[in-house]
Amino acid sequence: MPRWEHGSADRLKQAAMELFEEQGFDATSAVQIADRARVTTRTFFRYFPDKEEVLFADAEALNEALTQKLLQTPDVAKPLPAILRTLAGYDWASLGPLDVQRRRAALIASDPLLLERDLVKQQQLADGFRNALSRRGVDPEVAELAANTATQVFRIAYRQWLDGNGDPTLAAATDTAMSLLATIVPRTRRVANQRTALGKTDE
């Protein structure tokens, strides 16, 4: 079987998705992925440290782009909405067709190892947001709480967006998820007022 290097990363991603769906994540090896993509195993490991990372190949660049976008946001006086606007306003369609993103999400949800890796990536994103807010002068504890809450809220919104094939919009799905949060934490406004009274602001 001929081997070629051009477009190897994309072919490896496609091959991995196909094999994970056909025979399961556990039963698929890096060698099989490389064979399906018509590249050598050495080429596979030049792009990815392990088979799990194939599904998270864009995570580092995505996290960096989102963090930079938050740093450039004009107003972070209300850090939770600022992060959610950053997330909802990103061009998620640029990561690929919704069908591919939905298939990827289903694969991750089906395997404990992939779920664990996904949580690590999510925490890295939250840490990036926290650091960005701190650089903008937000209280460190407020920054940490806002960053972790926002990533969880958006996780739900993103899933709804995928399940609905883009309807509702990400912005609408994010608003819905925030409304759910308000029903769980009804004292949020009161706590915020108490912080203001104590002189603890987000600016």
Side-chain angles (χ1 to χ4, degrees), residues 26-154:
D26 286 340
T28 300
S29 68
V31 173
Q32 291 174 321
I33 295 171
D35 284 344
R36 175 69 67 92
R38 297 186 179 182
V39 299
T40 64
T41 304
R42 178 179 295 181
T43 297
F44 175 93
F45 286 111
R46 191 162 70 238
Y47 286 101
F48 309 107
D50 52 42
K51 64 179 183 178
E52 289 93 335
E53 202 63 21
V54 178
L55 293 176
F56 301 96
D58 301 319
E60 185 174 346
L62 174 63
N63 289 0
E64 177 64 21
L66 288 167
T67 300
Q68 288 301 316
K69 187 175 181 181
L70 180 61
L71 280 170
Q72 297 165 8
T73 297
D75 184 8
V76 293
K78 296 180 179 180
L80 179 56
I83 297 174
L84 289 173
R85 285 194 302 271
T86 296
L87 286 163
Y90 185 77
D91 182 15
W92 293 90
S94 67
L95 299 181
L98 290 188
D99 177 62
V100 174
Q101 294 190 50
R102 188 161 45 245
R103 288 166 56 202
R104 173 184 174 276
L107 283 169
I108 291 172
S110 70
D111 187 90
L113 282 177
L114 293 175
L115 274 173
E116 182 179 359
R117 185 70 61 94
D118 190 43
L119 290 173
V120 169
K121 301 296 183 181
Q122 178 179 300
Q123 188 57 54
Q124 290 172 347
L125 176 60
D127 290 345
F129 284 149
R130 181 200 64 207
N131 292 336
L133 289 174
S134 295
R135 289 173 60 183
R136 295 290 301 275
V138 176
D139 176 86
E141 291 183 351
V142 173
E144 182 175 3
L145 182 59
N148 284 294
T149 302
T151 52
Q152 290 294 334
V153 168
F154 188 75

